Every structure is written in C-alpha cells, then in structure tokens.
Amino acid sequence: MAPTITAATGLSQDHLSLSHKLRKPVVEKLRRERINSSIEQLKSLLCAEFLQQQPDSKLEKADVLEMTVTVLTRLQQQNKTHFLSQSLMKNSQQSHCTELHNHREALFCLQSSTSKDKRPENSAPWRPW
C-alpha cells in the first residue's frame, strides 16, 4: 500500500509543478502590464515636465521614474516651505493678538482705576440716555 500512496503523491506533485510552470508566465505578463500601465499614467501626469526636459526624445521607463522622483521631491520641499511659512505667519499673528489683548487689558485696567478715582463711590454710573 505504501508504494501506491507514494505514486499518487508523486503524480500530484508533478501535476502541481506543471500547473505552476504553466501559470508563472501568465502571472509575470500581468505583472509587467501593471508596471507598464503605471509608468504610462506617471508619464501622462507629468507630461508638462517631460516636454520641458526633452520634447522630442523617447523616454525610457527609468527616465519616467527618475523624473517622478524629482517632481515629488520638489513638491515635498515646497510643502515643507509652505508649511513653515504658514506656521511662522500663524505664530506671528498669535503673538500680535496676544500683544493686542494685553494692551487692551492694560488700557481697561488703567481706565477702570482712573474712572474709580474720579467718580464718588455712592454715585450712579454715567449713562448717555
């Protein structure tokens, strides 16, 4: 009985190996198609950038990828600069608002203490109506 099981197992392994050998080229072709499709999408997204660099030359996949890295790096730098300038402006505005608030508070305290000095304690507050 043991040899029969081994023979069946061997047959099964041969079948799996054959199936794998037949399927591998199809899977690889699909992978290459996905890569090529993505590179074409990058090319169309960066069309203006490519026209500035080499308008008449055919670009290799490596060129498209390098250009994409360059553009994304530049965008990342711009975002960092923009974020930094926004943060500085926000901090400046907050500082200005704090100064203004402190100034108003000081004026209010000064006015309050000055008006208390001029007004007798038992008199009613002045109203324009």
Side-chain angles (χ1 to χ4, degrees), residues 1-121:
M1 244 195 222
T4 310
I5 295 172
T6 307
T9 307
L11 180 64
S12 176
Q13 287 176 351
D14 289 341
H15 179 65
L16 287 176
S17 177
L18 181 61
S19 172
H20 178 70
K21 287 179 182 179
L22 292 175
R23 202 179 66 157
K24 187 175 179 180
V26 174
V27 171
E28 180 62 22
K29 182 179 180 192
L30 291 173
R31 186 185 72 81
R32 283 192 316 269
E33 285 176 359
R34 284 181 39 226
I35 291 171
N36 291 336
S37 172
S38 295
I39 288 176
E40 285 302 315
Q41 288 176 5
L42 285 173
K43 207 186 264 191
S44 67
L45 289 171
L46 302 171
C47 186
E49 208 53 47
F50 291 125
L51 291 176
Q52 288 177 2
Q53 296 296 322
Q54 301 168 342
D56 294 330
S57 66
K58 181 180 184 318
L59 295 167
E60 295 179 358
K61 294 174 188 176
D63 296 329
V64 174
L65 293 174
E66 286 173 352
M67 186 77 63
T68 302
V69 169
T70 302
V71 170
L72 290 176
T73 303
R74 189 175 343 125
L75 285 174
Q76 190 176 34
Q77 294 292 333
Q78 289 174 353
N79 285 344
K80 284 180 183 177
T81 304
H82 179 71
F83 176 75
L84 181 61
S85 66
Q86 290 294 334
S87 295
L88 290 174
M89 284 178 27
K90 187 175 182 180
N91 288 341
S92 174
Q93 287 172 348
Q94 286 176 344
S95 175
H96 179 69
C97 288
T98 303
E99 286 177 27
L100 186 60
H101 176 72
N102 291 342
H103 183 67
R104 285 181 180 166
E105 197 171 271
L107 282 175
F108 178 74
C109 290
L110 183 62
Q111 287 174 346
S112 296
S113 66
T114 307
S115 64
K116 284 180 185 175
D117 294 340
K118 290 182 180 178
R119 191 175 55 151
E121 286 197 31

